[in-house]
Amino acid sequence: MEPIDVDEILKRAHELTHGPRGDTYGPPHEDYARVSEIYRAVTGGEMRDSADAALFMVCMKLARIGYNREKRRLHVDSVVDSCGYLWVYAQCAQDLEHDFV
């Protein structure tokens, strides 16, 4: 296994957080305000387990899809990620033995 270049990780994280994401998702405080609004609307606001954590990620992607929708853009990455997080949600719910209807 190759050693981890921590400086490269930090550099990439800086590039991601200080790059064009603001145009794609809006400022972080607005982005996560939308996420929390969606999450509260779906769950009532309480995060109880891993399924809820996965659902939070779905809400994040929905907020980002909505932001881009307002700009008449389709952010394909968020659509793909949403599908993946929905699978994660279902898997977590199954593993936690939630009732399925």
Side-chain angles (χ1 to χ4, degrees):
M1 185 162 116
E2 248 181 79
I4 297 171
D5 185 344
V6 176
D7 290 333
E8 183 60 28
I9 291 171
L10 293 173
K11 179 182 170 195
R12 288 179 59 199
H14 183 272
E15 290 168 356
L16 288 172
T17 57
H18 292 77
R21 283 184 175 220
D23 183 50
T24 305
Y25 306 132
H29 67 280
E30 291 176 11
D31 181 26
Y32 283 88
R34 284 187 299 275
V35 174
S36 63
E37 286 176 32
I38 294 168
Y39 184 80
R40 278 194 304 276
V42 171
T43 67
E46 183 182 346
M47 190 175 298
R48 301 167 303 219
D49 54 31
S50 59
D52 281 355
L55 190 56
F56 179 86
M57 297 304 293
V58 171
C59 293
M60 179 177 64
K61 293 302 175 172
L62 292 175
R64 292 176 174 184
I65 289 167
Y67 179 81
N68 279 280
R69 181 180 171 275
E70 291 172 8
K71 297 186 175 296
R72 300 195 49 80
R73 302 184 300 207
L74 175 62
H75 192 250
V76 176
D77 180 61
S78 289
V79 173
V80 171
D81 287 351
S82 295
C83 293
Y85 285 125
L86 282 168
W87 177 87
V88 170
Y89 167 75
Q91 188 64 51
C92 289
Q94 182 178 350
D95 291 346
L96 292 166
E97 299 180 357
H98 286 197
D99 291 330
F100 286 86
V101 291

